[in-house]
Amino acid sequence: MVVDTALLVDTHAHLDDRAFAADREAVIARAVAAGVSRILTVGVDLPSSRAAVALAEKHPAVYAAVGLHPHDARKWNEATVRELRGLAQHPRVVAIGETGLDFYRNLSPREAQIAAFRAQLALAGEVGLPVIIHDREAHGEVMAILRQWVERVRSPGPAVPPPARGVLHAFSGDLALAEAASNLGFCIALGGPLTFAHARRTVEVARQLPLDRLLLETDCPYLTPEPFRGRRNEPAYVRYVAERLAQIRAQPVEVVAKASTQNALALFPRLPSVSANGS
Ligand SMILES: [Zn+2]
């Protein structure tokens, strides 16, 4: 497989995960060697948000997002928001997240998830950063909260299309949901599940949604794409997602890679347009 892009962005990785404890440096080096010139490592609680920032300081290709995952929403308090606000000032922190709702596993009470989600949206607005959103079995609630947020941000301004202000990561909804989110100004990130055999609904999203709304991600160490499904995922594998997206859209992989990278740069203004290794 030859993908000469030197352009890909993995917009969602968990490099601080203990799955990478033994070979984190090698994993990052492999990604860069594979043309993944920027990796967003995403915090899920305060320790992992701190770890994400530390990794971003250490590696030219790594950038951070800081937030509290819905699984841990019960931990949200004033100290959480204070520390996230501080971390968000760091120039290599490019987004707030991941935040959102997970009504599938319900590891935190739903009311706590909603409160932490709303608070992180407010924080993102305050610090002027986009949000990375996790939505599992909570499509209606997530969209309702995002709609309210967008209206609050926009009002009482003129009825202009809102700029992109976030991404629905590991998107699991249908085309109607993707279009509704896109109309609100959100991007859709596709990862490993796009390569799975029974991904009919996600394939339709990948085929029909305008290319300027799509991002690529791994969500590593989870959601490993084919042909490595079942093993540990890593940022270098984002190219398999790019190849599958190109195949579905019947476009050259270079076109898909370039567009998805442009989309990431537009959504995350703190991501530099030229990576540290010059590509
Ligand atoms: Zn994640």
Side-chain angles (χ1 to χ4, degrees):
M1 180 189 56
V2 181
V3 187
D4 183 24
T5 57
L7 263 179
L8 290 167
V9 179
D10 181 358
T11 61
H12 199 110
H14 296 286
L15 289 175
D16 69 298
D17 195 282
R18 73 171 82 86
F20 298 119
D23 62 346
R24 189 171 288 111
E25 303 299 315
V27 164
I28 294 170
R30 267 202 297 279
V32 172
V36 184
S37 53
R38 303 165 195 82
I39 305 164
L40 246 76
T41 191
V42 179
V44 295
D45 57 13
L46 285 180
S48 83
S49 294
R50 289 177 205 127
V53 174
L55 282 166
E57 283 179 336
K58 194 170 162 202
H59 295 280
V62 177
Y63 297 82
V66 296
L68 187 68
H69 194 284
H71 289 344
D72 291 302
R74 64 172 77 242
K75 296 180 192 163
W76 182 266
N77 59 35
E78 272 311 302
T80 319
V81 71
R82 219 176 303 125
E83 182 162 356
L84 291 178
R85 184 181 288 120
L87 289 171
Q89 303 308 315
H90 194 289
R92 293 181 75 84
V93 171
V94 305
I96 298 296
E98 65 185 281
T99 180
L101 303 176
D102 193 314
F103 290 177
Y104 177 68
R105 294 185 68 190
N106 287 307
L107 295 185
S108 281
R110 292 184 176 192
E111 306 71 49
Q113 293 188 41
I114 289 169
F117 183 27
R118 287 190 193 279
Q120 286 176 88
L121 290 173
L123 176 63
E126 178 195 320
V127 299
L129 288 177
V131 280
I132 296 175
I133 298 156
H134 171 108
D135 163 20
R136 188 137 187 233
E137 306 279 319
H139 300 327
E141 293 85 350
V142 164
M143 285 304 294
I145 289 170
L146 292 181
R147 210 167 269 125
Q148 282 175 10
W149 182 54
V150 167
E151 275 161 18
R152 197 165 312 133
V153 170
R154 193 161 40 176
S155 68
V160 293
R165 44 175 63 90
V167 54
L168 291 175
H169 113 88
F171 187 75
S172 59
D174 60 12
L175 181 60
L177 183 74
E179 286 172 340
S182 169
N183 289 338
L184 269 186
F186 291 84
C187 291
I188 302 298
L190 300 175
L194 187 63
T195 69
F196 298 170
H198 299 292
R200 195 182 49 80
R201 210 164 53 167
T202 311
V203 165
E204 196 191 356
V205 171
R207 184 178 291 126
Q208 304 285 348
L209 205 68
L211 189 53
D212 67 4
R213 281 305 194 207
L214 291 174
L215 301 181
L216 303 177
E217 65 172 30
T218 58
D219 202 18
C220 65
Y222 315 106
L223 300 180
T224 312
E226 297 289 1
F228 299 114
R229 189 175 183 185
R231 290 193 252 166
R232 184 188 71 175
N233 199 1
E234 61 176 74
Y237 296 169
V238 74
R239 60 195 301 171
Y240 296 98
V241 182
E243 292 202 326
R244 179 70 182 119
L245 180 60
Q247 184 189 42
I248 290 166
R249 297 182 69 97
Q251 287 178 294
V253 68
E254 289 78 10
V255 169
V256 162
K258 192 170 181 187
S260 62
T261 293
Q262 293 299 334
N263 300 341
L265 296 177
L267 177 60
F268 304 111
R270 286 193 191 163
L271 263 194
S273 58
V274 177
S275 71
N277 59 9
S279 53

